[in-house]
Structure formats: C-alpha cells, structure tokens
Amino acid sequence: MKKIDFSISHWMECSGPENDIVISSRVRIARNLAGQVFSCLASSEQTEAVLKKICSVTEKENELADFNFYAMKELTAIEKQALVEKHLVSPLLARDSRNGALLLSSDEAVSLMINEEDHLRLQVILPGFQLEEAWEKADYYDSLLEKKIDFAFDEQYGYLTACPTNIGTGLRGSVMLHLPALIMTGQLNRLLGALSQVGLAVRGLYGEGSEIIGNLVQISNQVTLGQGEGEIIGNLGGMIGQVIEQEQNARQALLDKKRAQMADRAWRALGLLRYAQVMSSKEAMQLISDLRIGHDLGLVKSVDHRLLNLLLVLIRPGCLQMLAGRELDNDERNLERPAQIKKILES
Amino acid sequence: MLCQECRRNEATIHIVKNINGRQIELNLCEGCARKKEELDFTFEPQFSLHKLFASMLNQGLFDGSEVKSVSNLQCPGCGLTFTQFSQVGRLGCSDCFKAFEDKLKPLLRRIHAGTVHNGKVPSRIAKRVNAIREIDRLKELLQQKIQDEEFEEAALIRDRIRSIEAAIKENSRLAEAGQDDSEQGENQ
C-alpha cells in the first residue's frame, strides 16, 4: 500500500478560476451494483463481494493504472481523519464502512469510494470554480466503469441509490466558497434564503449540519431526479456565479468604506498567526479568513495565496497530527498548530 | 452527573479516548459532545438529512388510519419493511423502489424536480431509453401540431412515432429470442 502524502493535494495547491472566492469545486456520483443489496443492509460477505467485483474491474483498467488503493481498515484513525479533512473521502466511509476502500488518483483529484452508503461513490475535486470540468471528469470515469460493471438503473427512476435524496442522476455538485464580505455585511442570510428557494443547499465546511467556520460555505444541489446532469450543473454554476458577483460587490464596498479597518484586521491576523503560541482550529480558521480577504483586497501583499489554501486544511486536527508525526490530544494540538502555521508561513 | 464541559446539562454521553497510552474520560451532554466532535473529528453528521427525510415520511404523507397498512409493506427483494425505511431513511435494494413506490412517489415529487429520470443512461440500454424519450417528445409535439391544425405535419410525426415504437418492439423481441437461445444452449 502506497503511503499517502498528507501534506498537499492538487486542489489545495493549484490555483483555479475565481480562486479568490472559490476554494474548490467538487462533483460526486452515487452508483450501486445491479442485483446486490445496498450497503446498509449488506452482510460482511456481501460488502466483500462488492469490493472484489469493483476491484476486479479497476485493477485491469489501464486508465486507472495510476490510482492507489487503500483499504479503510488498514488506515489509522489519524490517516482517515486527514483524508476527510482534505475532502478526499466522505466522513461516512472513514467512520463506519465495512470493507470500505478508496481508490485515489495520483493527483488526488479523483476518489472512488467503495462500500460507502452506496456501493460506489465517484468524486472529482478541482481547485477554484471548475464545476463543469469536474462533472466532465466524473462522467468520463463513470462511463469507463459502466462498460464493465452493471449499475442498478431503472428506466423511470434512473440510477438507484440507498437514499431517495440521491436517486436519478446520483449527482451532487458542491462548491466551497470563501464569503467573508457577505458575512461581515450581514447579507448572507438573505442570500441563503434565496438559494434554498431554487433547490440549493448551503452548509458549513464539513457538510450537513456543520456550522460556518472561517467564513467558508458549501453550496450544492438538492435535486437529483427530473433534471439532466447538464441542467443540474448549469443551474448550480449559474447561481454560484451570482454569489461570486455579490461577494465581489460587498468586498468592493468594504474596500471603499472600511479600507483601514480591513487592513488592520488582516495585519492583526497575520501577527497572531505568526506569533501566537496556543491556538484552536476555530480561531485559526477565522484568522486565516481575515488574512485571506486582506490579501485578496490587495491590503497585505507579503503572503502567498497558495499557502492560505494549504493552511486551511493543514491546521485541522488530523492533518496536524500527520504533520507532527504522532498522536496529539486537544491541548497538544493547540500548541502544535501555531508552530506548524509559522513554519508554513515562512516556507 | 453534570456535563464536564458546560456544567449545566445532564451528561448523557460517555467518551473514552486513548491517546499515547493515556486514557482520557469525558462525560458530556449531547450539545457539548457534538461541539467537541466537530472540533476533534470532523465527521459529516449525515443523519440530519435522513432524519429530516424520515420525518417527512411520517408527517404529511399518511394519516393514522393508514399507518397500519403501511407498516405491513415489505420489500420482497431484501425484506426491508416500510416502517424500517421510514426510521432510517435508506432503502435496502433496487426492488425497494417498486415495493414502496406508492409511498415514495409523493415524497420524490416534493424533494426533486420530477419523478422521471431525465439524465444519463447506461450505454447498454441507452438506445431503448433514448427511443422512449424521443417518443415522449414527439407525442408532445404531435399534440401541439393538432392544436395548431397543422395536420400534414402531425401525420408525419404520428408515422415517426409508430416506426420508433415498432423498432423498440422488434428489438425487445430479438433480445428475448437471444435470451431463449442462450438458455437452450445452457440446457443442452
């Protein structure tokens, strides 16, 4: 088993379109094997059969030659947590899947999750605003697998999934945005209301129910049945475009009216990130956000944008413990975090 | 016992952690435990969606009198009962959709843009499904043409529909015949 490089991922390091506001674009499709009981009711033998069936296809597929295989049960808790923090596997797969496994492309853009809530979850994550590109890539790999695997499909309901909220296309597009100006100017709630009316869901950094930390918001489609994939991705992309525009307007207004305060906030954040000795991940996320918008507005020029993306993930508990090379409890992590941040900022 | 974190609510969750051989025990209330989990281990609390979904099933879709008959519903494929489904919000197998169709449809209508798949189709059945979609499209067009009294064009569309329908029938006859052949082959 190849060791996972826990420091960087393609989507964290590369820059993408609109990446001052859009952190990443993600698409996942849910598929199940025809004639097999879904994961939640399956016995260990049945989940093993699913794993074997999928692997028998992926092992022979030339296009997947550069993918690395990881059995979930062979990873440590910290490794699994770091994979979740990097958005390369779902929390469910890391937490309690039987015979769960991950096939990860060498650039970490494509994840095939086996024995998740559905037998197969195919995910593509790209930096910046590249929703269409992410869908095209996911579609490509789905079509590749479909030649060799019979997926559960019904002519009326489309691709059948364990949860009826995913039925049809099985497609969930999700874009992570940094929206500090909309949040600071109190416009976010109004926007969220509007988005939910057009069938989009808005969540915090780590999915449903998670609170908004570091001004990071995920917007994704709810509807998976009745619309084609192009329409779903097009609608989501269109709305994201409008959110980006609103955030840009709000940023401009802040720059016009509160320039000094914004600069002060960003420089203070940089000071704390450089010199603080004890720091929780929540505080770090907020400071990184303050610094990031200062950088985006041109008020702080001495920081590399790429590093800010890196920081967002690397200060999370799992990645932090990977960086430190040992297990750390909460207090130890709060000590380790500023040390690692300092290192990254100086790199 | 009171929650160690907020010291206000009753502690209902007991957590034991083993870090570098050091055992740490925590007694927390649900709210603090959730907060702690979010910070310590950022697992996506997926259940909220399922719970919401299950509550939608239980609320508006059938009144008390119907509950009894519904609870008897069971999927012949995997044995999941509708009552179990409405508790966990997840289906057990492909057959569940047909088994619970009457109950699922109103729900699908509520959460989705329709109840008919309109997206990608596996290549093995793409020809057939695309033909059926084309017929649906042509039928709508046919109605329009009849309303607009453009009867010559309507007749052409009608013929087109008939020829596609005939082709689908022929294809499925051939497919069935092919299956019979292979079955006979296996028997011999």
Side-chain angles (χ1 to χ4, degrees):
Chain A
M1 200 156 80
K2 183 185 174 274
K3 210 150 171 50
I4 302 175
D5 174 10
F6 278 95
S7 53
I8 48 165
S9 254
H10 175 69
W11 73 264
M12 289 150 57
E13 195 179 37
C14 298
S15 55
E18 311 282 357
N19 78 341
D20 54 337
I21 294 173
V22 183
I23 313 267
S24 65
S25 304
R26 196 152 52 115
V27 159
R28 75 112 171 91
I29 41 187
R31 298 286 185 259
N32 285 286
L33 271 51
Q36 296 269 5
V37 176
F38 294 162
S39 302
C40 59
L41 278 193
S43 65
S44 293
E45 289 78 32
Q46 284 166 323
T47 53
E48 200 182 327
V50 167
L51 179 63
K52 275 195 178 147
K53 167 71 192 161
I54 294 174
C55 287
S56 72
V57 172
T58 54
E59 276 163 10
K60 288 188 210 115
E61 184 52 67
N62 286 337
E63 303 266 348
L64 302 178
D66 76 322
F67 279 54
N68 292 304
F69 178 85
Y70 304 99
M72 279 298 129
K73 61 183 170 203
E74 285 170 30
L75 297 176
T76 65
I78 294 176
E79 286 174 321
K80 285 193 270 192
Q81 188 178 356
L83 285 173
V84 172
E85 289 164 0
K86 290 172 78 181
H87 295 279
L88 300 178
V89 306
S90 65
L92 184 77
L93 189 79
R95 185 180 46 207
D96 56 10
S97 70
R98 281 164 308 154
N99 290 308
L102 165 70
L103 270 161
L104 185 63
S105 67
S106 56
D107 63 359
E108 301 195 346
V110 187
S111 306
L112 299 176
M113 291 170 247
I114 304 167
N115 283 321
E116 217 258 10
E117 178 181 294
D118 296 296
H119 295 146
L120 185 67
R121 289 269 176 106
L122 198 171
Q123 179 195 277
V124 175
I125 184 165
L126 296 176
F129 190 24
Q130 302 192 70
L131 203 51
E132 304 252 351
E133 291 80 354
W135 156 242
E136 280 165 20
K137 212 171 168 108
D139 184 33
Y140 173 80
Y141 284 103
D142 176 50
S143 299
L144 198 71
L145 294 174
E146 200 168 70
K147 283 183 197 151
K148 309 275 169 59
I149 302 174
D150 252 5
F151 289 133
F153 183 87
D154 180 271
E155 285 182 21
Q156 181 179 359
Y157 295 121
Y159 290 96
L160 302 176
T161 54
C163 186
T165 53
N166 295 319
I167 193 175
T169 56
L171 173 70
R172 185 91 64 228
S174 184
V175 177
M176 201 203 296
L177 300 121
H178 183 228
L179 303 176
L182 285 175
I183 292 173
M184 272 182 231
T185 54
Q187 295 178 71
L188 187 72
N189 282 340
R190 194 168 47 84
L191 189 72
L192 301 194
L195 289 174
S196 68
Q197 295 214 327
V198 292
L200 300 181
V202 183
R203 302 165 304 170
L205 181 55
Y206 285 95
E208 277 159 43
S210 61
E211 62 177 314
I212 293 175
I213 305 174
N215 298 322
L216 293 170
V217 168
Q218 279 192 81
I219 302 179
S220 55
N221 64 296
Q222 296 273 58
V223 167
T224 57
L225 178 65
Q227 290 179 341
E229 288 85 355
E231 199 180 350
I232 291 172
I233 295 293
N235 285 348
L236 177 60
M239 291 307 291
I240 301 286
Q242 292 191 30
V243 174
I244 292 172
E245 209 182 303
Q246 302 243 4
E247 169 70 17
Q248 279 165 342
N249 292 343
R251 286 184 182 193
Q252 192 55 50
L254 283 175
L255 197 57
D256 292 343
K257 290 181 196 140
K258 307 253 178 202
R259 188 187 180 94
Q261 289 89 332
M262 293 305 289
D264 178 66
R265 202 171 164 138
W267 281 105
R268 277 171 190 268
L270 183 58
L272 281 171
L273 286 168
R274 275 204 182 129
Y275 300 112
Q277 300 294 308
V278 182
M279 193 176 282
S280 71
S281 71
K282 207 169 172 179
E283 183 188 3
M285 298 293 279
Q286 184 57 49
L287 292 172
I288 293 166
S289 172
D290 290 346
L291 178 57
R292 194 183 179 104
I293 185 172
H295 173 272
D296 292 343
L297 294 176
L299 301 169
V300 179
K301 293 203 173 81
S302 58
V303 182
D304 185 350
H305 196 270
R306 197 180 59 98
L307 293 181
L308 295 173
N309 264 2
L310 273 181
L311 275 182
L312 274 182
V313 175
L314 299 185
I315 56 144
R316 310 293 297 168
C319 288
L320 199 62
Q321 293 177 79
M322 291 299 301
L323 281 179
R326 63 194 179 93
E327 285 183 51
L328 304 168
D329 66 22
N330 197 35
D331 291 343
E332 290 171 320
R333 287 204 297 274
N334 290 344
L335 284 172
E336 180 71 22
R337 187 170 290 114
Q340 291 292 345
I341 291 173
K342 205 171 168 204
K343 227 189 257 176
I344 294 169
L345 282 176
E346 282 168 4
S347 68
Chain B
M1 189 191 297
L2 280 181
C3 169
Q4 283 172 290
E5 203 76 9
C6 62
R7 303 202 176 276
R8 264 189 311 224
N9 304 328
E10 184 70 14
T12 52
I13 293 170
H14 181 68
I15 301 173
V16 183
K17 286 186 187 180
N18 194 318
I19 295 173
N20 293 339
R22 203 147 39 97
Q23 192 141 314
I24 298 170
E25 291 193 28
L26 286 170
N27 291 293
L28 304 171
C29 69
E30 210 182 327
C32 289
R34 205 175 298 134
K35 261 188 229 153
K36 198 126 195 110
E37 190 185 36
E38 250 170 40
L39 293 175
D40 282 1
F41 206 132
T42 44
F43 276 142
E44 192 170 1
Q46 292 213 339
F47 294 101
S48 60
L49 184 67
H50 294 124
K51 268 189 192 155
L52 175 79
F53 185 63
S55 72
M56 279 170 76
L57 271 172
N58 289 326
Q59 279 169 12
L61 293 176
F62 41 82
D63 57 27
S65 62
E66 246 187 291
V67 169
K68 211 171 178 188
S69 66
V70 162
S71 65
N72 292 335
L73 266 180
Q74 189 172 21
C75 171
C78 63
L80 187 80
T81 66
F82 189 77
T83 312
Q84 285 170 324
F85 166 64
S86 61
Q87 280 158 6
V88 290
R90 286 187 221 173
L91 296 159
C93 72
S94 304
D95 295 337
C96 289
F97 290 88
K98 291 289 173 215
F100 306 143
E101 192 166 22
D102 292 346
K103 298 292 156 201
L104 279 176
K105 252 192 173 167
L107 188 79
L108 293 176
R109 210 168 282 133
R110 254 209 253 180
I111 55 179
H112 292 298
T115 55
V116 180
H117 178 55
N118 206 8
K120 189 173 176 175
V121 173
S123 51
R124 67 188 149 90
I125 54 163
K127 218 173 151 185
R128 186 187 144 77
V129 174
N130 287 334
I132 292 170
R133 285 185 187 170
E134 177 67 2
I135 290 174
D136 289 344
R137 193 187 68 84
L138 288 173
K139 276 183 178 166
E140 268 181 40
L141 194 64
L142 179 65
Q143 286 305 320
Q144 190 61 46
K145 294 291 174 195
I146 292 171
Q147 267 179 19
D148 297 346
E149 300 186 1
E150 294 172 18
F151 297 115
E152 267 176 42
E153 279 187 51
L156 287 175
I157 294 169
R158 181 204 57 203
D159 293 347
R160 176 95 189 102
I161 293 173
R162 280 185 188 161
S163 81
I164 299 175
E165 279 174 341
I168 293 177
K169 239 181 222 168
E170 178 65 9
N171 273 340
S172 57
R173 195 184 62 78
L174 285 175
E176 268 172 37
Q179 234 168 26
D180 288 349
D181 287 350
S182 64
E183 272 167 25
Q184 274 168 12
E186 274 166 28
N187 290 338
Q188 283 162 3

